[in-house]
Amino acid sequence: MTSPTIASIYGTKTPKPWTSAKALPLPNPMPNLLYGVELEIENCNEEWRCGGFTVVQDGSLRNGGLEFISTPMTYSNLVYALDVFFDRNKPVEIKHEDEYSMDSNYSDRTSIHVHTNVNDLTFEQLTTLCLIYEVFENLLFAFIGNVRDKNIFCVPWKETTLSYATLEKLQDVNKVGSVVKSWQKYTALNLLPITKQGSIEWRHMHGNSNRDMIYTWLRIIGHIYKYAVDNTFEDTKKIFMGLNTTSEYDHMLNRVFQYDSDRLRV
């Protein structure tokens, strides 16, 4: 029997993705996965518009801060759209007495949130994704850096009451609704958007314009998706529970994150 998808349970629909004929196909683990990014930026103005993004006011930001929200799009299209965005919108620099300049667009108040589509996933696949995330959460935060694991708007699962038992409930049709609806928005991986948008939100990254870091982060998320789609929950759980040496953990890191695994060896 085919397991129902998240879209079939909640009636959510995958939006039409934004595309550009200028976007080149780029290597990535999930070519069809749809991403949406929210860029929080200070010291900017509404002239910072560009294709694929809308701009909204954000009361948590200061000094002309705005939030730029992308239309859902695949990795290759998103890289192209972000390249155009950052090429057009140069950082504001503040001159100091020592003649050094600093980028003033990204204070501790800013962040980059990534939404990823889950409409076509089953709840078993979502649970597998969450299990992988839970195991590697420390490494993901180490990659992001900037003390984001101490941010009250990006709380690690390890600092909450979430547990393996909670994840198992995601596979139970009779229990999954209560689990998702009672989720806390400010957890680092937020499941609340599932019921209305058919997406999950990765709140980890601080505000920045480091393209290599942002694009690597998008691929890392894609690797987690791919492993969750290609492997069952029980097989994944069995493998994790059987790991007991450094070399086995390292081998698992390679299996999940493939050509980006070195970026997580921090």
Side-chain angles (χ1 to χ4, degrees):
M1 182 178 176
T2 303
S3 299
T5 63
I6 289 173
S8 67
I9 292 176
Y10 288 112
T12 48
K13 295 182 179 180
T14 300
K16 182 179 180 180
W18 182 90
T19 60
S20 171
K22 296 181 180 180
L24 299 176
L26 298 173
N28 67 92
M30 290 289 286
N32 296 321
L33 176 61
L34 294 185
Y35 297 85
V37 297
E38 301 169 354
L39 308 175
E40 296 176 349
I41 305 176
E42 296 184 330
N43 287 297
C44 55
N45 56 60
E46 294 191 14
E47 293 179 2
W48 276 33
R49 296 177 184 272
C50 78
F53 288 85
T54 57
V55 60
V56 298
Q57 300 288 333
D58 189 325
S60 67
L61 304 176
R62 300 179 188 172
N63 304 321
L66 295 170
E67 183 172 3
F68 298 85
I69 303 174
S70 79
T71 302
M73 57 186 86
T74 62
Y75 174 83
S76 295
N77 284 282
L78 184 52
V79 168
Y80 170 76
L82 287 170
D83 277 343
V84 173
F85 182 89
F86 289 126
D87 285 344
R88 289 182 180 176
N89 307 308
K90 301 301 183 182
V92 175
E93 294 185 340
I94 297 178
K95 205 80 171 181
H96 291 275
E97 293 181 1
D98 57 8
E99 297 186 352
Y100 285 99
S101 297
M102 64 177 286
D103 182 351
S104 67
N105 292 109
Y106 302 105
S107 71
D108 291 341
R109 293 178 294 273
T110 65
S111 59
I112 296 177
H113 298 159
V114 179
H115 282 258
T116 45
N117 181 45
V118 293
N119 277 308
D120 53 352
L121 297 187
T122 65
F123 272 103
E124 180 189 355
Q125 291 169 332
L126 176 64
T127 308
T128 306
L129 183 154
C130 290
L131 177 61
I132 297 167
Y133 170 78
E134 192 169 33
V135 170
F136 288 109
E137 184 178 60
N138 284 344
L139 280 183
L140 300 181
F141 270 107
F143 166 77
I144 294 296
N146 209 46
V147 202
R148 284 291 286 182
D149 58 339
K150 308 301 181 186
N151 191 297
I152 61 173
F153 300 109
C154 178
V155 180
W157 283 13
K158 67 177 182 179
E159 302 293 340
T160 71
T161 57
L162 294 172
S163 67
Y164 173 75
T166 302
L167 297 188
E168 282 210 311
K169 292 178 182 177
L170 288 177
Q171 298 186 75
D172 189 329
V173 177
N174 298 316
K175 297 178 180 179
V176 65
S178 61
V179 172
V180 174
K181 289 180 180 179
S182 62
W183 208 269
Q184 296 300 307
K185 174 182 178 179
Y186 294 124
T187 49
L189 178 55
N190 173 24
L191 303 190
L192 271 178
I194 287 176
T195 59
K196 293 183 178 180
Q197 299 171 221
S199 67
I200 55 179
E201 180 186 29
W202 308 74
R203 301 177 59 87
H204 304 69
M205 185 165 280
H206 53 91
N208 73 94
S209 58
N210 183 332
R211 302 184 202 191
D212 176 63
M213 183 178 188
I214 296 170
Y215 301 162
T216 301
W217 178 234
L218 297 175
R219 292 197 308 275
I220 285 172
I221 293 171
H223 285 300
I224 296 176
Y225 262 78
K226 180 169 175 54
Y227 196 91
V229 169
D230 291 346
N231 298 271
T232 68
F233 176 76
E234 289 301 325
D235 286 346
T236 303
K237 179 179 70 172
K238 183 177 179 181
I239 291 172
F240 281 140
M241 292 181 68
L243 300 177
N244 57 20
T245 68
T246 300
S247 62
E248 287 178 349
Y249 279 102
D250 195 64
H251 176 65
M252 192 61 185
L253 186 71
N254 286 331
R255 286 186 61 181
V256 175
F257 298 101
Q258 301 175 47
Y259 50 84
D260 284 308
S261 58
D262 281 344
R263 301 300 298 268
L264 292 173
R265 289 188 172 88
V266 290

